[in-house]
C-alpha cells in the first residue's frame, strides 16, 4: 500500500498569518489552496536504507509532522514526487516518506522543495485583488467554482459601503459554471447558497454604516464575538486570533478559524461530499459558512445564523447547506449532521480508544439521507486541553486534531481531520 499524499493541511504554525487585515483570508487561501509554501534552498539530500528521503534546508522550514512535501528538479527523476513528512529532526531537517517507492540509492542532482498545496488553481481574479474564483486542478464536471469576495462596496461604490473597521469576513459561494469573476446572475446555473427570487443575494452590498448588509454566506476571521452563544454586531471592533488550520484536498476542504482571539475554532468548509446516491444527476456540494443577511449593526441570538457553529449545536446554528437532489430545484437544502450528540471531543463516551474517530453522515430538510463529509470526523473521546493543531496516529492512519467551540456551552471540544494512511 502506498503512502497517501492527497490530503494536506496548513496552520498558523507554518508561518502563515490570518490577522485583523482585509486581504488576509484571500492571501491564506492562495497559499494553502494554490501555490503551497516554498522551502529555502535544499543544501543536502540523501535516501536511507528504508527508502526515506532526508533533506537539509538553508534555514527554518516551519513544517510539521505528516504535512505533504513536493520535490522537483531532482535527478534521478523518481525523486520528483510528493511525500509525507515522517520525521522532523530539527528546524532545518526533514525525513520524507515517498508516495511511490524509490529504487535508486543516490541523488545526483538536488532540486527544490515546498509544502504542497491542496490542489486548486485560481480561475479568475479581479484587478483590485479582493476577489478570487478557485477550482480544483484538472477538475471533473462536478467540481464547483468557489467564489471568495472581500469587496467592501457595491460595484458603483456608493449604494453599498461596508465600513473597513467592522468585522472581517469574505462572502463565499459555490457555482456550477462561470465565464468571469462576477458571473453569478444566471438563474439557470446551480449555486450554493441560492435564492431564486434574488439570484445575486449572496453577493449584494447595500446600505452604509450600521445599516449596511454585505453578502449572505460568510466566512468570518475577525470578529468581536466568539460565535459560541450571542453573536455581537459586525459593527463592533473585531479581534483576530491568527489561530487556524485548513485541511483537505482537491475535492473538499475544511477551514477552522479561531475568531475573536479564540483557541477553540468554528468550522467552515466546502466542496464535494461522499454521496449516498451514486446515480445522482446534480453535483453534490456542501457549504459550511455563517449564513445571515442582516445589517452590520444587528446582533444575532444563538439560534439565528445558519451554520455559525456546524456540528457543535443541535439547532439551526449546527446545520449547513447542500445542493438539492431534485433536478430543476435550484434553491439549496439545509442539512444537519447525524451525530450521537453535539459535543464532539468534549464528551468521553468511548475513552478506551486511542483515536475514537467516526465519519459524519448528514441528512437534509427535504427528507433525504445525503451522504457523509470528507476529511472531518466526530470524536467520541475527550481530546483534552490543546490550543494548536496536533497530529496523531492510530495504526497506519494519520489524523490532525483541532479544538473547536462547543456552542451549547462555549467550552472546548474537538474534531479529527483524517489525513490518510502512512505505509
Amino acid at each position: 500500500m502506498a503512502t497517501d499524499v492527497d490530503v494536506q493541511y496548513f496552520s498558523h504554525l507554518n508561518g502563515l498569518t490570518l490577522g485583523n487585515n482585509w486581504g488576509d483570508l484571500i492571501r491564506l487561501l492562495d497559499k494553502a489552496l494554490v501555490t503551497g509554501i516554498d522551502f529555502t534552498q535544499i543544501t543536502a539530500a540523501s535516501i536511507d536504507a528504508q527508502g526515506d528521503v532526508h533533506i537539509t534546508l538553508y534555514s527554518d522550514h516551519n513544517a510539521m509532522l505528516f504535512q505533504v512535501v513536493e520535490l522537483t528538479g531532482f535527478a534521478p527523476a523518481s525523486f520528483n514526487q510528493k511525500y509525507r513528512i515522517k520525521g522532523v529532526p530539527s528546524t532545518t531537517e526533514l525525513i520524507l516518506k515517498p508516495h511511490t517507492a524509490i529504487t535508486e540509492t543516490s541523488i545526483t542532482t538536488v532540486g527544490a522543495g515546498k509544502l504542497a498545496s491542496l490542489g486548486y488553481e485560481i480561475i479568475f481574479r479581479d484587478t483590485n485583488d479582493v476577489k478570487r474564483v478557485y477550482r480544483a486542478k484538472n477538475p471533473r464536471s462536478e467540481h464547483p467554482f468557489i467564489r471568495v469576495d472581500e469587496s467592501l462596496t457595491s460595484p458603483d461604490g456608493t449604494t453599498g459601503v461596508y465600513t473597513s473597521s467592522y468585522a472581517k469576513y469574505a462572502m463565499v459561494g459555490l457555482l456550477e459554471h462561470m465565464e468571469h469573476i462576477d458571473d453569478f446572475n444566471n438563474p439557470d446555473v446551480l449555486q450554493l447558497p441560492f435564492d431564486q427570487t434574488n439570484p445575486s443575494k449572496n453577493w449584494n452590498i447595500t446600505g452604509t454604516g450600521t445599516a449596511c448588509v454585505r453578502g449572505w454566506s460568510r466566512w468570518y476571521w475577525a470578529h468581536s464575538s466568539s460565535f459560541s452563544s450571542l453573536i455581537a454586531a459586525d459593527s463592533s471592533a473585531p479581534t483576530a486570533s491568527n489561530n487556524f488550520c485548513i485541511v483537505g484536498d482537491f475535492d473538499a476542504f475544511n477551514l477552522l478559524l479561531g475568531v475573536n482571539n479564540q483557541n477553540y475554532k468554528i468550522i467552515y468548509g466546502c466542496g464535494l461530499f461522499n454521496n449516498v446516491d451514486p446515480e445522482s444527476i446534480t453535483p453534490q456540494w456542501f457549504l459550511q459558512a455563517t449564513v445571515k443577511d442582516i445589517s452590520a449593526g444587528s446582533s444575532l441570538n444563538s439560534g439565528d445564523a445558519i451554520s455559525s457553529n456546524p456540528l457543535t449545536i443541535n439547532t439551526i446554528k449546527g446545520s449547513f447547506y447542500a445542493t438539492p437532489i431534485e433536478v430543476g430545484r435550484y434553491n439549496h437544502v439545509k442539512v444537519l449532521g447525524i451525530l450521537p450528540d453535539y459535543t464532539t471531543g468534549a464528551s468521553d463516551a468511548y475513552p478506551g480508544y486511542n483515536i475514537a474517530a467516526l465519519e459524519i453522515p448528514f441528512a437534509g430538510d427535504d427528507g433525504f439521507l445525503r451522504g457523509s463529509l470528507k476529511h472531518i470526523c466526530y470524536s467520541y473521546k475527550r481530546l483534552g486541553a490543546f490550543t494548536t493543531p496536533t497530529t496523531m496516529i492510530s495504526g497506519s492512519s494519520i489524523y490532525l486534531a483541532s479544538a473547536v467551540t462547543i456552542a451549547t456551552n462555549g467550552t472546548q471540544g474537538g474534531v479529527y481531520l483524517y489525513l490518510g494512511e502512512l505505509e
Side-chain angles (χ1 to χ4, degrees), residues 45-86:
S46 62
I47 185 168
D48 65 22
Q50 287 74 44
D52 297 330
V53 173
H54 297 239
I55 62 172
T56 302
L57 299 158
Y58 177 75
S59 61
D60 291 357
H61 47 64
N62 290 324
M64 298 157 61
L65 194 64
F66 301 141
Q67 285 186 298
V68 178
V69 167
E70 185 175 2
L71 298 184
T72 57
F74 277 71
S78 58
F79 286 87
N80 297 321
Q81 59 169 296
K82 289 183 178 180
Y83 302 75
R84 281 280 177 199
I85 297 177
K86 182 180 177 180

Side-chain angles (χ1 to χ4, degrees), residues 148 184 187 402 423:
V148 180
F184 49 74
S402 175
E423 182 185 355

